[in-house]
Amino acid sequence: MSLFVTQGIMRIACVCLLLLSATVLSQNVNERYRKFIEQHINGKMSVNRCDEEIGLRRISKTNSNECKETNTFIRATTNIVKSICGLAGAPYERNGQLTRSLQPFDIVVCTLRNQGARQPRCQYRGQSRTRIIAIKCEQGFPVHFDGDIVHLDH
């Protein structure tokens, strides 16, 4: 085989590898975005529905049936929250590369009342707040809720 043919085959292999990597990364982001939506977005959430929503959505500590200490629901649509990863957000450094919303959001913070409990016995106390929120974005999609911000850093 000539050097020219070998180089051509290597280029094709590299292009195929890059396309495959991009596809895998894109699928991973899509899965993380779907999980973010399931765990954190509910436009009609109320402080009295924490137990029900967390149970229905099977939200727990990662890879266990232990009750999650806190879970925050954002009262907005997926498109409005997604816009934080674009023009409706600004870089926010804390625990890695994050983005903060430019506008406050109505949120419901559900805090576990019965520490150490396991599903389905999780009992939460809901609290309504209006806060700037900090999220992690990947490829223009929110994939992690980091927290709410009481006072903006100047």
Side-chain angles (χ1 to χ4, degrees), residues 26-109:
S26 179
Q27 286 175 340
N28 186 32
V29 169
N30 285 337
E31 289 170 23
R32 295 183 69 200
Y33 177 52
R34 281 196 300 275
K35 183 178 180 185
F36 175 88
I37 291 169
E38 185 66 23
Q39 282 195 307
H40 298 293
I41 298 181
N42 184 337
K44 298 178 180 171
M45 183 64 184
S46 74
V47 295
N48 300 321
R49 292 185 45 114
C50 287
D51 295 351
E52 182 179 351
E53 285 299 313
I54 289 174
L56 283 173
R57 295 171 183 232
R58 297 183 180 163
I59 297 171
S60 64
K61 285 187 180 176
T62 304
N63 299 323
S64 77
N65 67 343
E66 291 179 58
C67 301
K68 193 173 177 187
E69 298 291 323
T70 62
N71 193 75
T72 301
F73 290 99
I74 306 163
R75 290 195 268 205
T77 65
T78 54
N79 285 337
I80 290 173
V81 176
K82 184 177 179 261
S83 70
I84 297 168
C85 296
L87 296 175
Y92 181 69
E93 291 284 333
R94 194 183 84 183
N95 298 333
Q97 189 68 30
L98 299 174
T99 302
R100 67 170 177 85
S101 62
L102 296 177
Q103 299 296 318
F105 279 80
D106 288 331
I107 60 175
V108 172
V109 179

Side-chain angles (χ1 to χ4, degrees), residues 72 74 84 88-92 94 99-107 109 129-135 145-154:
T72 301
I74 306 163
I84 297 168
Y92 181 69
R94 194 183 84 183
T99 302
R100 67 170 177 85
S101 62
L102 296 177
Q103 299 296 318
F105 279 80
D106 288 331
I107 60 175
V109 179
R129 299 178 184 165
T130 302
R131 298 281 196 272
I132 298 294
I133 59 174
I135 61 175
F145 180 87
D146 194 71
D148 56 271
I149 306 167
V150 179
H151 300 289
L152 294 177
D153 299 331
H154 294 286

